[in-house]
Amino acid sequence: MRKAYLSLILFTIVFTSCATVPFAGRERNILKVVDLINRGNTNQLISLSQIPFLLDGEIIMLEKDLEFLWENFASARLAIPDPRVAETRPASESSHEIFASSMEVEVFWKKYLPEASFIARIVSDNGEFLLILGGRQRGFPLIYGFKAL
């Protein structure tokens, strides 16, 4: 009886903690975006990416520039082999400094990121990468930013 009670408590904790993790912050959803990058699926990456888009410390304001970015990444065969989600954290008010400590990036952070945005740090054989994710569309997180460390 005691084991059953403890199992029920453990199940409840695990189940409720999973329900509180925003869609974009779930590891499998982050890896779905990385898979799109690895496959060079520019059309889907473009449709999931939000305008304005933060690339390192630069703000991309035009859809045509965003298309150019993902197409160039695919042409250059940007890959994130053997990706591992090393960390996820909410995109808090001060976390914009990970990308840049400029006034433009701070304004982007406050004005364009939804409340439930996350920063995912991906570690791979090619280095470390950051993704800003939030919300969802057709089973994928929306992409608000990218940075190679």
Side-chain angles (χ1 to χ4, degrees):
M1 181 70 167
R2 184 174 174 194
K3 279 187 180 182
Y5 182 69
L6 289 174
S7 294
L8 180 62
I9 290 173
L10 181 60
F11 175 77
T12 303
I13 290 170
V14 169
F15 182 73
T16 57
S17 68
C18 290
T20 62
V21 176
F23 178 83
R26 295 183 184 147
E27 185 171 333
R28 71 175 180 270
N29 296 323
I30 295 165
L31 293 175
K32 285 169 60 173
V33 172
V34 173
D35 185 55
L36 293 175
I37 294 169
N38 287 340
R39 289 187 289 128
N41 191 333
T42 57
N43 289 335
Q44 198 160 9
L45 286 165
I46 291 165
S47 73
L48 293 172
S49 298
Q50 301 301 291
I51 298 287
F53 185 88
L54 187 59
L55 175 65
D56 289 321
E58 300 296 321
I59 300 170
I60 297 174
M61 297 297 289
L62 302 174
E63 188 170 339
K64 190 171 193 101
D65 292 340
L66 188 59
E67 291 171 7
F68 186 69
L69 167 77
W70 289 122
E71 288 166 359
N72 280 339
F73 278 178
S75 295
R77 298 180 194 241
L78 172 72
I80 304 174
D82 191 27
R84 296 169 305 284
V85 178
E87 173 187 14
T88 61
R89 65 171 129 159
S92 67
E93 201 170 301
S94 64
S95 58
H96 72 276
E97 293 178 357
I98 297 169
F99 280 77
S101 58
S102 68
M103 180 62 81
E104 292 86 3
V105 173
E106 186 176 353
V107 169
F108 168 88
W109 216 261
K110 290 178 180 175
K111 188 172 181 180
Y112 297 108
L113 289 185
E115 252 182 65
S117 298
F118 266 79
I119 300 171
R121 186 169 60 91
I122 313 298
V123 177
S124 83
D125 295 342
N126 280 356
E128 293 187 34
F129 303 86
L130 298 176
L131 289 168
I132 306 171
L133 305 170
R136 74 170 116 182
Q137 178 180 316
R138 295 183 308 257
F140 285 86
L142 296 172
I143 311 166
Y144 290 86
F146 178 87
K147 181 174 183 164
L149 298 176

